[in-house]
Amino acid sequence: MKRRKFIKNTALSSIGVTFGTSLLGCNNTDQKNSEEKIMATDNTQFPIAICTWAFTAANAKAGEELSKGKPALDAVISGVEVEEENLKNTTVGKGGAPDREGNVTLDACVMNPEGDCGAVVYVNTITNVAALARKVMEETPHVMLAGEGAEEFGYSQGFEKENLLTEESRLAWEEWKKSPEYKPIINIENHDTIGMLAIDKDGDIAGACTTSGLSYKMKGRIGDSPIIGSGLFIDNEIGGAVATGMGEEVMKTVGSFLIVELMRNGMNPQEACEEAVRRIVTKNDRYKDFQIAYIAMNKKGETGSYCIHEGFTYMKYQNGENKNIPSDFYHKG
Ligand code: ASP
């Protein structure tokens, strides 16, 4: 690309990221159309990867894969695997906190640019559940497999059978059982479900969401994370969104689907995340007791995030830089 065009496009791209709505709101239709066209077809700002919380290494991994030219779905799965395999992370993958009976059960889903999706829930013996969800999407006629059925399918696809309860998580659970109070903590340890969205060099969007769910949940409980439309939703024409936090509340408002639909109707990712949080807090006066956070990305590569309580941050990889960005929040005291 000629240098002048590169500079022009890069400048327009960064205007788009920061002032997306002002551009859309400008009166000069011709100027607006030509700018939008350049932004929509300009790949210099791509690829981009974003993920929930300060999962720096996971997002860097996705960014690295994207920079090598890998498609968005490959990148998000490689990215979230970093946390699924991180034994120190007690909210995702192996090493995740168990339910009240001591079972670690993992949930995950993925969605590709074609609008296909796959999910697994209540998986007790396989670490890489996002990759397993991808296999459900690609190798079965179904969207979701649960429990033993998901595990047996996983072994048939070459996934290893593992004990997901680490000694550290077992000891923490034994400790918890001494006074078993079930009380989700806002911003628990500042790391939670990992939800990741990527837009690859071709401008195609995919996402993954993977979790061990709420610590010490009831046996059998499934949250929002593996539910397409709640924990994750992608429409490659519009953008994508993912959620973290109190899954029950995300499910009641089908949060990620809502955000994508709000973007379809003209909101930028930031406005859409804010509106989705507003839907929850205006209908539920218990919002002071739980955290929910959304991140979203649109087809132009604009991103946004919003949460109920201060403390949520997200990662953004773009142009070789992997930054941690504090999210704006609703409850300002
Ligand atoms: N959303 C997850 C769930 O409800 C948990 C979390 O993100 O903290 O299972």
Side-chain angles (χ1 to χ4, degrees):
M1 183 185 296
K2 294 225 168 63
R3 189 165 184 274
R4 254 182 86 192
K5 185 165 174 246
F6 173 79
I7 290 168
K8 187 179 168 211
N9 287 355
T10 307
L12 284 172
S13 300
S14 49
I15 289 168
V17 170
T18 318
F19 301 116
T21 41
S22 327
L23 267 182
L24 293 178
C26 84
N27 290 328
N28 182 334
T29 315
D30 286 340
Q31 186 192 346
K32 182 188 132 185
N33 286 345
S34 70
E35 281 172 353
E36 276 186 329
K37 203 166 159 202
I38 289 167
M39 287 168 66
T41 55
D42 167 24
N43 288 351
T44 56
Q45 61 178 314
F46 302 154
I48 304 168
I50 60 174
C51 79
T52 54
W53 304 104
F55 291 125
T56 313
N59 208 55
K61 177 72 183 173
E64 206 178 286
E65 296 295 298
L66 290 165
S67 304
K68 285 186 209 154
K70 291 273 173 65
L73 184 65
D74 289 358
V76 292
I77 290 177
S78 303
V80 300
E81 273 177 358
V82 171
E83 286 308 322
E84 289 176 337
E85 291 165 12
N86 175 2
L87 303 187
K88 298 270 171 242
N89 183 339
T90 56
T91 53
V92 178
K94 189 170 182 175
D99 65 15
R100 295 172 197 186
E101 328 288 318
N103 308 302
V104 180
T105 62
L106 306 183
D107 304 327
C109 71
V110 298
M111 200 156 178
N112 72 11
E114 288 73 43
D116 299 320
C117 49
V120 289
V121 301
Y122 209 69
V123 173
N124 189 219
T125 58
I126 291 173
T127 300
N128 295 127
V129 276
L132 181 57
R134 179 186 191 159
K135 288 286 184 193
V136 173
M137 173 175 82
E138 292 176 349
E139 306 295 337
T140 80
H142 306 304
V143 164
M144 184 181 282
L145 291 180
E148 274 178 33
E151 290 161 9
E152 282 164 19
F153 168 68
Y155 309 144
S156 77
Q157 295 292 314
F159 287 80
E160 201 185 318
K161 182 172 184 171
E162 290 182 85
N163 173 14
L164 304 181
L165 185 65
T166 55
E167 189 53 13
E168 223 172 341
S169 287
R170 194 187 64 74
L171 291 173
W173 169 62
E174 295 288 357
E175 197 54 37
W176 174 81
K177 278 199 295 183
K178 289 181 187 160
S179 50
E181 191 193 5
Y182 182 65
K183 199 162 183 260
I185 303 163
I186 290 170
N187 295 333
I188 182 169
E189 294 167 23
N190 267 349
H191 56 72
D192 250 277
T193 296
I194 182 164
M196 188 179 279
L197 304 171
I199 185 161
D200 61 29
K201 67 173 180 17
D202 299 323
D204 289 324
I205 304 173
C209 190
T210 175
T211 191
S212 54
L214 299 179
S215 307
Y216 317 128
K217 58 197 175 186
M218 280 179 73
K219 186 175 182 183
R221 181 264 185 193
I222 305 292
D224 62 313
S225 305
I227 309 295
I228 294 294
S230 290
L232 166 74
F233 195 71
I234 305 288
D235 182 329
N236 194 38
E237 281 175 32
I238 306 298
V242 279
T244 178
M246 185 61 74
E248 282 72 6
E249 303 303 324
V250 174
M251 285 195 275
K252 289 178 200 169
T253 49
V254 200
S256 294
F257 181 72
L258 173 63
I259 290 170
V260 172
E261 290 309 296
L262 292 168
M263 293 196 291
R264 189 190 308 280
N265 290 323
M267 286 190 185
N268 67 29
Q270 182 61 35
E271 292 166 332
C273 290
E274 290 179 18
E275 178 56 25
V277 166
R278 213 169 289 127
R279 293 277 172 105
I280 294 168
V281 296
T282 51
K283 286 183 183 174
N284 190 330
D285 52 15
R286 287 177 296 107
Y287 72 82
K288 289 187 184 137
D289 299 330
F290 57 79
Q291 173 70 303
I292 287 177
Y294 290 112
I295 61 172
M297 175 192 274
N298 68 12
K299 193 68 179 164
K300 295 174 194 167
E302 295 171 337
T303 59
S305 80
Y306 202 61
C307 57
I308 300 179
H309 299 281
E310 187 170 17
F312 172 70
T313 64
Y314 73 105
M315 296 301 305
K316 179 169 182 174
Y317 173 94
Q318 188 174 25
N319 297 329
E321 263 191 292
N322 195 31
K323 286 190 201 150
N324 185 236
I325 302 171
S327 175
D328 194 7
F329 54 96
Y330 176 81
H331 185 57
K332 301 232 157 84

